[in-house]
Amino acid sequence: MKVIAFNGSARKDGNTSLLLRRVMQELEAEGVDTELVQLAGRKIHGCIACKTCSSRKDGRCGQADDEGNALIDMMVKADGVLLGSPTYVTDVSPEIKALIDRAGFVSFANGHIFKNKVGNAAVALRRTGASRTADSMIHFFFANEMIVSGFPVIGIGREIGEVLHDEEGLARAKSLGQAMAQLLNHLKLYPLPAHKPTRADYRITKKSEQE
């Protein structure tokens, strides 16, 4: 089993990364492989509504001049996905927004390719916007019919390392990692039926084509 974690912060080793690593530490302790992907410095554009993913239905985004498809492929190959973001104007960072928009539309166009994967999120903030930021990432999982392993992690801290003083946030990160690992290991022993897209799975794509 493997979990891919995406750090959407502009600071590669900032508070968001520290929270994700704390979750990953618990996952690894339970035998789950992990990989941290730093979005900072990587080239990924937002969705441009070209609808190429909808017409081709090949599991790829129509934009080929950035790293979007490589990041989507990482999500497809993983059993679980962790998204991490600081609060930017009380919402997710532009890097995370670009990733979830692109990955989401590719998923919708191909019959929900992330269905039944396990997902969760981590938010680092100084004061406000935690709920909205977490909600944006959690709704990505819900929209793609993924399984959310409990409440997301919220850590308080502005300067790099300050989140390590948030004992409640760190405890939540530990608990989330343990819960995610238990769920993944349970699904390994008792896997859900393989997802076979039905006509209903393409309903969002069909609607968008009519707009």
Side-chain angles (χ1 to χ4, degrees):
M1 307 295 281
K2 181 175 181 178
V3 169
I4 188 83
F6 295 95
N7 177 19
S9 174
R11 301 190 296 189
K12 288 185 177 181
D13 297 308
N15 291 316
T16 306
S17 176
L18 292 172
L19 289 175
L20 289 171
R21 290 182 187 279
R22 187 58 62 96
V23 177
M24 293 164 64
Q25 180 179 327
E26 297 302 320
L27 287 165
E28 291 167 359
E30 296 292 333
V32 178
D33 294 331
T34 67
E35 179 181 354
L36 178 62
V37 178
Q38 306 279 8
L39 296 183
R42 303 190 76 146
K43 186 178 179 183
I44 178 168
H45 309 304
C47 176
I48 59 174
C50 66
K51 300 181 182 177
T52 302
C53 61
S54 177
S55 60
R56 291 196 312 212
K57 291 180 170 49
D58 60 355
R60 299 184 65 78
C61 175
Q63 297 186 65
D65 62 343
D66 68 1
E67 298 182 69
N69 280 315
L71 298 172
I72 293 170
D73 285 344
M74 293 179 187
M75 298 174 74
V76 170
K77 293 175 182 177
D79 302 290
V81 177
L82 273 173
L83 298 176
S85 177
T87 55
Y88 278 30
V89 196
T90 71
D91 212 326
V92 293
S93 69
E95 291 83 2
I96 282 290
K97 180 59 174 168
L99 176 63
I100 62 179
D101 282 354
R102 296 269 296 278
F105 275 108
V106 169
S107 176
F108 299 157
N110 291 272
H112 289 97
I113 56 178
F114 303 129
K115 184 171 183 176
N116 294 335
K117 292 183 183 293
V118 177
N120 219 309
V123 179
L125 76 158
R126 174 178 174 267
R127 189 176 299 277
T128 61
S131 294
R132 183 183 178 93
T133 303
D135 186 66
S136 293
M137 294 186 282
I138 294 299
H139 271 81
F140 167 78
F141 301 131
F142 286 152
N144 285 282
E145 300 186 28
M146 298 170 67
I147 304 168
V148 177
S149 59
F151 199 74
V153 178
I154 295 173
I156 309 297
R158 181 178 65 179
E159 301 304 323
I160 294 176
E162 284 186 355
V163 75
L164 297 177
H165 301 296
D166 180 4
E167 294 183 5
E168 186 175 350
L170 294 179
R172 179 68 208 128
K174 180 176 181 178
S175 178
L176 188 154
Q178 292 172 344
M180 196 172 191
Q182 290 168 6
L183 180 55
L184 284 163
N185 286 324
H186 181 83
L187 290 172
K188 182 179 180 180
L189 291 174
Y190 306 100
L192 294 170
H195 175 49
K196 297 179 180 179
T198 65
R199 187 179 184 86
D201 285 314
Y202 294 96
R203 63 190 182 279
I204 298 177
T205 302
K206 290 189 175 183
K207 180 181 178 182
S208 67
E209 290 171 345
Q210 296 169 0
E211 293 175 348

